[in-house]
Amino acid sequence: SQTIHQWPATLVQPVGSPLSLECTVEGTSNPNLYWYRQAAGRGLQLLFYSVGIGQISSEVPQNLSASRPQDRQFILSSKKLLLSDSGFYLCAWRENTGELFFGEGSRLTVL
Amino acid sequence: GDSVTQMEGPVTLSEEAFLTINCTYTATGYPSLFWYVQYPGEGLQLLLKATKADDKGSNKGFEATYRKETTSFHLEKGSVQVSDSAVYFCALSPPYNFNKFYFGSGTKLNVKP
């Protein structure tokens, strides 16, 4: 069966520091992959999605970037974090039948 | 554009009470509809789905019926438990773009013993 993992689970970073969140999917090939952000007490905002290696689509202009160096690996990055980047980041992959499956999430606090 | 509207929370119920969380949507064509649940500190888990009008999705005692005429997908459960305390998200996936998924803002449910 397919599984999806994210790490780190929790991260506290100072303003201006870099960021790297990783997501890997197992048990499937060529998945569509997604990064969402969930601000405290709010819904989900789609940040990036990828339909294949090296293919990244950005949904909103921001301080973050994404990369897909391997088929089942999706990375969220920033060169310099802002306070507003704090939130709960969720990686997801899309099943051909339509469901989104989410990872455990990464909680980022920028101080 | 496509969107999902959920009732605002928090919803507080006693154990064994009946639950309804309202969800209405705006969409072009015939979207697929979903309910997700998020427990504290965790990612979202798929609870149930429906892909066409009049379909009923069900799982773990929860049910929701795809109502095209009222553009609704209300979540119901006959008898809630303390363990059902979580945030519930209604979502839709439009038929014209596989990479789009629209979520409601979430409804927090608190169940008291």
Side-chain angles (χ1 to χ4, degrees):
Chain A
S1 63
Q2 300 89 348
T3 57
I4 180 168
H5 298 289
Q6 289 182 236
W7 69 94
T10 305
L11 200 59
V12 180
Q13 292 286 99
V15 169
S17 64
L19 170 73
S20 180
L21 300 179
E22 294 194 30
C23 170
T24 59
V25 181
E26 297 175 0
T28 186
S29 60
N30 197 30
N32 283 21
L33 297 173
Y34 306 82
W35 278 111
Y36 284 86
R37 176 169 58 201
Q38 185 178 24
R42 301 181 65 180
L44 280 77
Q45 179 187 34
L46 177 62
L47 302 175
F48 301 95
Y49 69 88
S50 173
V51 300
I53 296 173
Q55 301 179 63
I56 307 295
S57 295
S58 175
E59 287 295 295
V60 293
Q62 59 205 315
N63 185 44
L64 301 169
S65 62
S67 62
R68 187 165 174 180
Q70 300 180 43
D71 182 45
R72 287 170 285 180
Q73 184 183 28
F74 203 23
I75 297 172
L76 184 69
S77 304
S78 174
K79 292 182 179 178
K80 291 185 177 181
L81 284 168
L82 306 172
L83 286 174
S84 57
D85 292 325
S86 293
F88 193 50
Y89 290 84
L90 291 159
C91 181
W93 72 278
R94 189 92 188 255
E95 174 67 76
N96 286 337
T97 52
E99 299 94 332
L100 265 182
F101 293 97
F102 288 87
E104 309 95 332
S106 297
R107 184 163 301 285
L108 170 65
T109 303
V110 182
L111 302 175
Chain B
D2 295 0
S3 65
V4 175
T5 302
Q6 289 181 235
M7 61 187 292
E8 288 194 20
V11 174
T12 301
L13 297 173
S14 297
E15 205 165 22
E16 299 184 1
F18 184 86
L19 168 71
T20 300
I21 299 179
N22 290 337
C23 170
T24 56
Y25 67 89
T26 301
T28 303
Y30 292 84
S32 294
L33 301 173
F34 306 82
W35 276 101
Y36 282 83
V37 59
Q38 184 179 33
Y39 299 100
E42 299 183 7
L44 277 69
Q45 300 175 27
L46 177 66
L47 184 58
L48 54 85
K49 72 170 187 178
T51 58
K52 59 183 186 296
D54 300 325
D55 266 2
K56 178 185 284 188
S58 61
N59 186 25
K60 301 180 181 180
F62 291 90
E63 294 182 340
T65 301
Y66 189 144
R67 301 288 189 196
K68 182 67 175 175
E69 63 276 13
T70 55
T71 61
S72 65
F73 193 54
H74 304 321
L75 183 68
E76 297 182 335
K77 187 176 186 183
S79 177
V80 294
Q81 306 299 313
V82 172
S83 57
D84 294 326
S85 297
V87 180
Y88 292 82
F89 291 91
C90 185
L92 76 81
S93 174
Y96 56 84
N97 189 329
F98 186 76
N99 290 305
K100 292 292 186 182
F101 221 89
Y102 297 93
F103 287 88
S105 55
T107 302
K108 186 173 184 179
L109 170 66
N110 295 318
V111 180
K112 296 183 175 181

